[in-house]
Amino acid sequence: MHSQKKMTETMTPVLGDRSRGETIVVALGGNAILKPGEKGTFAEQMANIRNTAAQLARLIREGKRLIITHGNGPQVGRIFRQQELGVRAGLPEMPLYICGAMSQAQIGVMIQQAIHNELIQNGCPRTVVTLICQTLVDPASRAFRDPTKPIGSFYSETEAQRAMAEKGETWKEDSGRGWRRVVPSPEPQGFPEIDAIRLLIDQGIIVVVSGGGGTPAAQEPGGALVGVEAVVEKDLAAQEVARIIGAETLLILTDVTHAMINYRTPQERAIGKVSLEEIKEYHRQGHFIPGSMGPKVLAAIRFIENGGKRAVITSLENALPGAEGKVGTVVGL
Ligand code: ADP
Ligand code: MG
């Protein structure tokens, strides 16, 4: 008891800084956690997250209030695989949205610990917490009629046919590489836990929320929530959190310094500071690939249209100047 008290006093003396600094919603891309070509061991993921935490801690030390969201593609893919192997050993399988929640906890605790450590080392201790969040979706929406989001590994046609017949899942052939399960990618329509997010950031607590777009859930007429087999784009969920909370900045950190027009053509050109009208026109012209840069640009557009001050798309290394709109693709102020 005594030692616990002492540890609390020395390690976490400050719950949070309640002064009303600028609120930034940061959406971390997959590369913040797992780099292409890596095996994805715990040590690799933790090392990447430490680098990410160093960037984010600099923003926190500058007095910004951070709400952090993150992708979960590779991690949740591995959790599915573990489930499949578990089924062979006679263990019951968990639904997709529960696997998503597992990945929120797994990635969240790594981010939470890494930021805590980074802040402690810099003499700026703060409380960091992960909220396992649900994201409301509408099962009657168009996204559910045509599932588009590939998840998990590639399989043979035989295995895909079996999953379609036995489990009623949708599988699609993926450009000659094999068959993959596809699930709907619906719009985020709200967050049952939004008041908890607000409460925590108002107390100066740093929160990790809605990882992987959040656990999709539908609301029944009586208000009950039920999990849904779908994946919400994390960039769109981040925008929706930012809008509802009234954040000043939406900072989307990925593996490129800018969104580009004529991407991967000789006419390729980085987009720097850009007006809302101009980027909407580029989006309309189809410069941004759906499922990767597309949702980031759409999130930026929506954020500014909904009254946000600044939306920035840039690389992880540029988190600090990016938050100030000095580098990257900057929509708004
Ligand atoms: P994250 O994990 O950060 O969400 P994504 O892979 O989903 O990353 O999206 C980032 C990728 O988007 C870049 O690595 C790039 O290959 C791709 N991309 C597609 N269209 C564009 C574009 N017009 N400009 C820049 N990058 C683009
Ligand atoms: Mg992405």
Side-chain angles (χ1 to χ4, degrees):
M1 194 61 215
H2 178 71
S3 65
Q4 173 66 35
K5 183 162 183 278
K6 190 155 179 226
M7 188 173 138
T8 307
E9 277 168 6
T10 52
M11 296 294 285
T12 52
V14 185
L15 184 62
D17 173 0
R18 289 190 216 172
S19 58
R20 179 74 173 84
E22 180 190 356
T23 303
I24 306 181
V25 172
V26 185
L28 294 174
N31 70 312
I33 309 159
L34 194 58
K35 308 256 184 244
E38 287 180 346
K39 218 170 156 204
T41 62
F42 174 72
E44 279 171 345
Q45 296 196 42
M46 201 64 216
N48 293 329
I49 286 178
R50 268 191 218 107
N51 288 335
T52 303
Q55 300 291 333
L56 299 183
R58 288 166 71 188
L59 288 171
I60 296 162
R61 284 159 56 207
E62 285 210 338
K64 319 283 194 208
R65 309 200 307 173
L66 291 202
I67 300 174
I68 300 157
T69 77
H70 59 83
N72 70 343
Q75 289 78 14
V76 83
R78 275 137 211 236
I79 296 173
F80 295 152
R81 187 80 190 121
Q82 288 165 358
Q83 299 280 314
E84 287 160 12
L85 297 173
V87 167
R88 290 187 205 164
L91 301 172
E93 198 175 11
M94 291 295 130
L96 168 60
Y97 51 88
I98 297 297
C99 295
M102 290 183 197
S103 77
Q104 287 191 53
Q106 174 191 332
I107 299 169
V109 77
M110 291 196 274
I111 296 177
Q112 155 183 338
Q113 193 181 78
I115 295 180
H116 169 97
N117 291 351
E118 188 66 30
L119 290 172
I120 283 278
Q121 279 156 23
N122 286 285
C124 176
R126 296 277 297 277
T127 301
V128 191
V129 70
T130 301
L131 281 186
I132 308 302
C133 294
Q134 301 173 89
T135 300
L136 295 176
V137 299
D138 177 6
S141 67
R142 215 179 43 194
F144 285 86
R145 291 199 287 277
D146 179 28
T148 53
K149 181 92 183 165
I151 54 160
S153 337
F154 292 92
Y155 290 86
S156 70
E157 184 171 354
T158 318
E159 287 167 300
Q161 296 291 359
R162 187 182 320 130
M164 285 193 275
E166 285 175 10
K167 299 196 242 172
E169 295 172 353
T170 309
W171 286 61
K172 284 185 183 163
E173 208 279 327
D174 191 331
S175 35
R177 293 184 293 175
W179 286 71
R180 275 181 103 184
R181 184 176 173 199
V182 286
V183 295
S185 185
E187 288 286 332
Q189 299 201 320
F191 307 93
E193 295 85 13
I194 196 77
D195 288 341
I197 300 176
R198 206 190 312 273
L199 210 71
L200 290 167
I201 58 154
D202 282 349
Q203 295 301 314
I205 293 169
I206 298 140
V207 285
V208 181
V209 305
S210 301
T215 296
Q219 192 151 31
E220 293 179 335
L225 295 171
V226 46
V228 172
E229 300 277 295
V231 172
V232 176
E233 281 286 354
K234 67 127 185 6
D235 300 305
L236 299 183
Q239 188 288 135
E240 194 58 6
V241 170
R243 179 187 73 77
I244 298 172
I245 292 292
E248 282 86 355
T249 302
L250 174 63
L251 179 60
I252 301 178
L253 300 176
T254 181
D255 57 356
V256 288
T257 54
H258 297 85
M260 307 204 202
I261 53 168
N262 302 314
Y263 183 59
R264 289 193 170 150
T265 72
Q267 286 78 42
E268 176 177 286
R269 185 173 65 78
I271 308 167
K273 279 203 169 58
V274 64
S275 71
L276 178 62
E277 292 317 313
E278 198 180 341
I279 197 142
K280 278 176 80 172
E281 183 57 22
Y282 294 146
H283 187 259
R284 207 187 53 75
Q285 290 169 356
H287 287 280
F288 314 112
I289 298 173
S292 61
M293 188 52 76
K296 297 182 202 306
V297 170
L298 188 59
I301 291 171
R302 287 183 182 173
F303 185 62
I304 300 304
E305 282 187 333
N306 286 315
K309 287 209 179 99
R310 182 191 291 144
V312 183
I313 302 168
T314 192
S315 60
L316 190 58
E317 300 71 38
N318 283 315
L320 210 58
E324 276 156 17
K326 290 182 182 150
V327 295
T329 297
V330 184
V331 195
L333 297 177

